[in-house]
Amino acid sequence: MAYKKWIVRSADKEKATELSEKFNMDAFIAYLLVSRGFDDALSVGTFIGDSFVSVSPFNFADMEEAAFCIGDAIDMGEKICIYGDYDCDGVTSTALLYSFLKDEGADVFYYIPSREGEGYGLNNAAIDKIHEKGADLIITVDNGISSIEEAEYIYSLGMRLVVTDHHQLSDTLPRAEAVINPYRKENTLEFRDYCGVGVAFKLVSAMYEGDINDIASRFIDLVAIGTIADVVPLIDENRAFVKAGLEKINNSPRMSVAVFKAAMSLNDSKKVFSAGDIAFQLCPRINAMGRMDDAYKAVEFLIDEDEESCKFRLGQLNAENSHRQETEREILEDVERQISERPSILNRRVIVVSGNGYHNGVVGIVASHICEKYGKPAFIIGVDENGIARGSARSIEGFNIFEAINFCKEDLIRFGGHPLAAGVTMKKENLDSFTKHINEYALREYELMPAPSLTLDCRISPDYLSLDLVDSLSVLEPYGASNLQPVFGVYSLRIINITPLSEGRHIRLELEKKGKRIRVVIFGTPYSEFPYKIGDTVNVAVKVSKNFYKEKYYLSVQAVDIHLSSVDGDKYFKEKNAYESFRLTKRGDKSLYPDREVCAAVYRYLKACGGYNFTTDELYFRLQDKVTYGQLIFALAAFRQAGLISVEDKITLLPANNKVKLDETEILKTVRERLNIG
C-alpha cells in the first residue's frame, strides 16, 4: 500500500471545554467534534440530536409543480413511468417512488437502463420502449438533468417529463413540467448535498398529505441505504435520514432488509447494523446487480414482501456480487501483470492501464485499488470488440482528475466526472496519445504531485484504547462521507508478535509501549507481504470497535495504516518526486547518483537480509538515513545489470564470481552523463 502522509486534526481546547460542559458531554468527544468543525452550540446540538427534522420539500424550486403534475396524472388514470438508474442510489430511488405511487393508486411501472447496453441516463431507444408501453408521464430519479435532447424527444412523442436529480447543472435545463434539483439557484435551501433518493423522498413528502413522520416510517430505510451508497456528506439532513433509517433497519425492517440481516448475522442475533454494515454488505450487493446483470432484480428485492421470495432474490444478489468480485479479481490480476512486465508504468505521474474485454461495471473499483496501492491517479480502461475504450479514473486528494481529463479532451469521445473520480470513452487508437497528454498535464501543472494522505483525529496513548472509548464514540455515528469513523495515531510501539490469521490472508500484531500491550488486526495484508518484523518500532493508525462473541463484547482494534517510527515522510515524498521528475524530464541534481559508498551500504543491507522480499519503497524506508530515493533505485538497477541481483517479485542475490565495476554499468554511465558528473 502506498505510504501516506498523516495529518493530525487540531481543535480549540477552550471551545471543546465549553461544549463539554454545556451538553454534559465527554470532554474527548467534544474535542473531536470541534476538530471536525462543530464548534458552536447550534451545530453540535443539531449534530447529536435524535429527533427527525426534515426541511420543507417546497424549499425546492418546482416542487409544487411536480406534485400537482403527478397528482393530476394519478387522478386522470394516466400511465406513469419512473426512469431510474442502475446504481444503489438509483435503485433505492426507483423502489421508493414506485412503492409510493403504487400505494397512491397510480398506474405506474419503472424502467432502468442497462449499464452495458445503454449507459447512464435517458436515451431515445429507451424512450421509444416506454412510449410503446403507453406512458403519458416519465419521472426521472437520480438522472435527467443533462438530458436536453432526450427531453425534447419525449415531448415530440406526446409524453410529459418530470426530472428529479442531484447531479450538477449545466447552463440549460431540460424541458419538463418540473425540474427538482438541489443545485438550482431558485431553491431556498441551506443544505444541498442530497443524493438521488433524498430528492425522491422530498418529492413524495410534498405529495403526501399526512404527517412527515408517517411517510418516513414507510420509506426512510430506503433513503438511508441510497444515501450511504452514494457517499454524500453524512451531515445535516443526510445525517438525519441515515440515523432514522438505521433505526428502522434495526427495529422494524421491511421484509427484504430483514432477510438480508438474518443472512448476515447468523452468529450474532443481537447484532445492531451500522452505516458501515450497510455500506460494505448491502450496498455492494445492490450495486453488483446493476454492474453485472439487471438492476430490475435489485428493485424487486427491495419492494418484495414475501419472505421466501426475498430469500431467493437475495441469493441472486449474492451470486452477482460473487461474480463481480471474481471479475474484479481477474482484471486486477491482469493490471498487476502489466505493471510487473512494464515497471515504467509506475514512473508516470498518472497510471493508465488498458485491457481487452475489461468489464465496464468494475473498472472503477479496480482503479480505486490501483490508486490506493500506488498513491497515484489511476485509469483502468477496457477495450471492446469494436475498438472503443471505456474506462474509469480515481484520483488522490489535491489532483483534480476532471481538469486533467479536460486537458486531453481532443483524445476523447466523451468524458465526465468529479475531481476525484471520472469516466472516459475514446477510440482504441487514441490510448497512447491520451496517456502521453495526461502525464504531460500532470508534469506541467504539478511541480510536486500531491502526497496521499490520511487524516488522524488525534494522537492517543494505547492506555485509552478500550470498550469505554468505543461507547463514548457512538455519539458520532452514523459514520460516512464528511463524518468518517475516527482514526487515532498510536506512536512508537514495539512489535512483540506477528500472528497470521485466516490462512495468512490477515495478520494480528501484538504491540507494546511502556509496559502496555495491545492487539491490532490488519485486514487484507497477507502475512507473507507484511514488511515489518518483531522488534521494529512502528506508528499505527487505528480504528476501534467492539465484537460480540459468546455473549460478551470484546475490543477490536483495526490498523488503517502503519509506518516505521523512524521514517521521514516529507523526505520520502520530496526524493521520490525528484526521481520521477528526472525520469520524465532528464533533469535533476547529484543527489540522485549512487556513489561507491552508497552502493556499498545498499549491498551490505541486502546481503545481511539474504535479499529482500518486499517493495522498493519499504527497502528505502530501511535505508533512508543512508541513501536518497533516487540513489536506491539506480543502485538496484546497477546491481541488476552487473549480475549481482535478480528482481522479480523480490530481490534475490546472485553469486558474484568476478570483481564488479558498478560505475561501468550502462545505467550509472547514463545517469552520470545526464547529471554532468565527471
Side-chain angles (χ1 to χ4, degrees), residues 540-612:
V540 187
V542 301
K543 295 178 180 179
V544 292
S545 59
K546 56 186 180 181
N547 288 335
F548 186 79
Y549 181 67
K550 291 186 176 179
E551 304 302 313
K552 186 177 179 181
Y553 284 106
Y554 295 87
L555 177 69
S556 172
V557 184
Q558 177 186 342
V560 177
D561 200 10
I562 182 169
H563 296 165
L564 284 173
S565 296
S566 60
V567 170
D568 183 337
D570 290 337
K571 181 175 184 286
Y572 162 73
F573 288 118
K574 181 180 178 181
E575 292 177 358
K576 188 170 186 178
N577 192 80
Y579 162 73
E580 292 180 348
S581 293
F582 176 70
R583 294 296 299 257
L584 293 168
T585 66
K586 311 298 186 287
R587 296 190 299 272
D589 60 43
K590 295 181 180 180
S591 67
L592 292 162
Y593 184 75
D595 60 20
R596 185 185 301 271
E597 184 178 340
V598 166
C599 288
V602 175
Y603 191 74
R604 278 197 302 271
Y605 184 83
L606 292 177
K607 197 169 183 180
C609 296
Y612 197 71

Side-chain angles (χ1 to χ4, degrees), residues 268-285:
D268 183 3
S269 60
K270 297 181 180 179
K271 179 175 175 59
V272 176
F273 279 71
S274 67
D277 295 319
I278 300 302
F280 294 108
Q281 296 184 42
L282 179 56
C283 296
R285 286 169 165 79

Side-chain angles (χ1 to χ4, degrees), residues 121-165:
L122 288 164
N123 67 82
N124 287 355
I127 293 168
D128 285 336
K129 294 175 186 175
I130 292 167
H131 182 246
E132 289 171 4
K133 287 191 172 184
D136 300 290
L137 174 66
I138 297 175
I139 310 170
T140 69
V141 288
D142 195 29
N143 72 95
I145 198 66
S146 60
S147 301
I148 309 301
E149 294 179 3
E150 291 82 1
E152 293 294 339
Y153 187 61
I154 287 170
Y155 278 87
S156 76
L157 295 176
M159 296 184 289
R160 304 187 309 284
L161 176 66
V162 169
V163 172
T164 77
D165 199 356

Side-chain angles (χ1 to χ4, degrees), residues 188-212:
T188 55
L189 296 169
E190 293 184 8
F191 177 76
R192 296 173 182 264
D193 290 329
Y194 298 92
C195 66
V197 73
V199 178
F201 178 72
K202 287 298 183 183
L203 175 60
V204 302
S205 299
M207 295 183 64
Y208 187 66
E209 296 179 355
D211 190 315
I212 182 64

Side-chain angles (χ1 to χ4, degrees), residues 104 135 196 203 261 325 365 396-397 502 554 556 614 629 666:
E104 293 293 301
L203 175 60
K261 286 177 59 187
Q325 291 171 331
I365 305 174
I396 55 177
E397 196 71 47
S502 300
Y554 295 87
S556 172
F614 308 107
Y629 189 87
E666 199 63 38

Side-chain angles (χ1 to χ4, degrees), residues 6-10 28 31-32 455-462 464-465 469 487-493 513 538-542 565:
W6 290 2
I7 301 169
V8 184
R9 298 184 198 265
S10 60
F28 182 60
Y31 179 88
L32 295 183
T455 298
L456 307 184
D457 284 85
C458 68
R459 295 179 62 151
I460 197 170
S461 165
Y464 288 99
L465 300 176
L469 174 61
V487 177
F488 304 112
V490 193
Y491 288 67
S492 301
L493 294 156
K513 181 178 182 179
V538 294
N539 302 335
V540 187
V542 301
S565 296

Side-chain angles (χ1 to χ4, degrees), residues 83-94 120-121 139-145 163-167 194-197 199-200 230:
Y83 194 99
D85 185 35
Y86 39 70
D87 71 359
C88 189
D89 186 18
V91 165
T92 51
S93 301
T94 304
Y120 172 77
I139 310 170
T140 69
V141 288
D142 195 29
N143 72 95
I145 198 66
V163 172
T164 77
D165 199 356
H166 71 114
H167 295 97
Y194 298 92
C195 66
V197 73
V199 178
D230 219 49

Side-chain angles (χ1 to χ4, degrees), residues 440-509:
E440 286 176 349
Y441 172 87
L443 189 61
R444 188 191 73 190
E445 296 296 325
Y446 294 85
E447 182 180 352
L448 290 174
M449 282 290 283
S453 63
L454 174 67
T455 298
L456 307 184
D457 284 85
C458 68
R459 295 179 62 151
I460 197 170
S461 165
D463 295 302
Y464 288 99
L465 300 176
S466 65
L467 288 174
D468 287 341
L469 174 61
V470 177
D471 291 336
S472 296
L473 292 171
S474 64
V475 73
L476 301 178
E477 296 181 14
Y479 301 126
S482 297
N483 183 47
L484 299 175
Q485 183 177 356
V487 177
F488 304 112
V490 193
Y491 288 67
S492 301
L493 294 156
R494 189 164 59 91
I495 299 178
I496 301 299
N497 198 16
I498 306 170
T499 305
L501 304 174
S502 300
E503 299 179 344
R505 294 192 298 273
H506 317 297
I507 54 176
R508 183 177 64 232
L509 305 180

